[in-house]
Amino acid sequence: MSQRLDYNQLAPAGVKALGAVYGYVAQSGLSPVLVDLVYLRVSQINNCAYCLDMHTRDLLKKSVPVEKLALVQAWREAGDLFDAREQASLAWAESVTRVADTGVPDSDFQAAGEVFDERELVDLTIAIGVMNTYNRLAISFRNTPQAVRPK
């Protein structure tokens, strides 16, 4: 896979603006591991190799066990490996990322609202949105994952 274009170089102000949103999420008060799990799940749904590689590495650096990482896409079958907040965030991430198919039904909103307060739910949704945007940039312009770059 070769990169189609370098969006960082071509639209630095736009990428900087996205970075500001990413930074907002980082300081939002949501658990950094929870946010990275959401980023990983969104990237799995979108099949973004660049982001899958990056967020897996980020979670490993945060000492998340590889067994947990292996089960992110099957979190519903993972028993208590994921806590209630992680489960709710992954369910919300799936519903919001697949908005064209789900319409984000009231039942998903109510389930997320049982675990997150309103501000947290907004922040979580911002995180999901920004990762969907990063996925679309990386996929569209063929950003090369670190794992497959020439050494």
Side-chain angles (χ1 to χ4, degrees):
M1 175 173 75
S2 61
Q3 189 173 26
R4 290 176 171 164
L5 55 82
D6 184 350
Y7 52 85
N8 292 296
Q9 182 181 10
L10 294 166
V15 174
K16 183 178 179 181
L18 280 175
V21 176
Y22 192 86
Y24 170 81
V25 172
Q27 64 78 44
S28 70
L30 293 170
S31 156
V33 168
L34 181 141
V35 170
D36 275 334
L37 287 169
V38 164
Y39 288 163
L40 183 62
R41 184 66 189 119
V42 169
S43 299
Q44 288 173 336
I45 293 166
N46 292 322
N47 295 316
C48 182
Y50 177 82
C51 297
L52 286 167
D53 181 64
M54 179 173 53
H55 297 298
T56 299
R57 291 172 190 277
D58 290 345
L59 286 158
L60 287 169
K61 288 176 192 169
K62 292 176 178 147
S63 301
V64 174
V66 70
E67 296 82 6
K68 189 170 188 172
L69 295 177
L71 293 176
V72 169
Q73 67 187 11
W75 62 269
R76 285 182 172 88
E77 289 81 41
D80 62 358
L81 190 59
F82 295 90
D83 67 30
R85 285 175 67 83
E86 291 169 341
Q87 290 177 26
S89 68
L90 293 169
W92 186 247
E94 290 174 359
S95 188
V96 172
T97 296
R98 294 178 172 136
V99 65
D101 296 326
T102 69
V104 190
D106 289 343
S107 59
D108 289 355
F109 175 74
Q110 291 163 352
E114 291 175 10
V115 179
F116 295 101
D117 67 31
E118 290 178 344
R119 173 66 183 265
E120 290 173 323
L121 192 53
V122 170
D123 289 344
L124 183 58
T125 307
I126 291 169
I128 294 162
V130 77
M131 189 47 49
N132 272 286
T133 300
Y134 276 125
N135 289 170
R136 280 146 180 79
L137 284 167
I139 293 166
S140 298
F141 302 121
R142 303 294 191 257
N143 207 351
T144 307
Q146 181 179 336
V148 297
R149 289 182 195 152
K151 298 186 187 218

